[in-house]
Amino acid sequence: QVQLVESGGGLVQPGGSLRLSCAASGFYFSNYAMSWYRQAPGKERELVAGITSVSASTNYADAVKGRFTISRDNAKKTVYLQMNSLKPEDTAVYYCNAFRSFNAVNYWGKGTLVTVSS
């Protein structure tokens, strides 16, 4: 079965750091673009960062540029999101997404909660 399992969320103080992981199984991970989305209470889900399948090119939302870094390890079938200098505005449920444009396949994880508070 296809699975995307996020981990690494939790409570952190402003200015702190967290590293999220998303472990993939049940599909050819190397052929998929991977992304992190987040959804704060009362707000729409938004793209945080993405990384392509072939060149591993990355893109980031303006709100997280310079603070977050997305990376992937195809051998481990895992995508990461390193989050530094966290702000209360970063509080949200973070979701892992896998996408392949060739057949429009789109997979989602169940999310991991990140709370930034003093």
Side-chain angles (χ1 to χ4, degrees), residues 40-55:
K43 296 187 177 181
E44 298 293 324
R45 187 173 299 185
E46 64 176 349
L47 176 66
V48 177
I51 184 166
T52 63
S53 61
V54 178
S55 65

Side-chain angles (χ1 to χ4, degrees), residues 33-36 47-52 56-61 70-71 79 81:
M34 302 298 298
S35 298
W36 288 95
L47 176 66
V48 177
I51 184 166
T52 63
S57 298
T58 59
N59 66 283
Y60 299 91
I70 188 172
S71 61
V79 63
L81 185 67

Side-chain angles (χ1 to χ4, degrees), residues 92-115:
V93 176
Y94 284 72
Y95 297 91
C96 180
N97 172 265
F99 179 73
R100 191 185 183 202
S101 60
F102 179 78
N103 56 1
V105 170
N106 197 6
Y107 301 128
W108 290 93
K110 293 183 178 180
T112 185
L113 177 63
V114 173
T115 302

Side-chain angles (χ1 to χ4, degrees), residues 6-12 17-21 36 81 83 86 92-94 111-115:
E6 301 97 334
S7 62
L11 175 64
V12 64
S17 298
L18 284 174
R19 189 194 193 198
L20 304 184
S21 298
W36 288 95
L81 185 67
M83 305 185 295
L86 283 162
V93 176
Y94 284 72
T112 185
L113 177 63
V114 173
T115 302

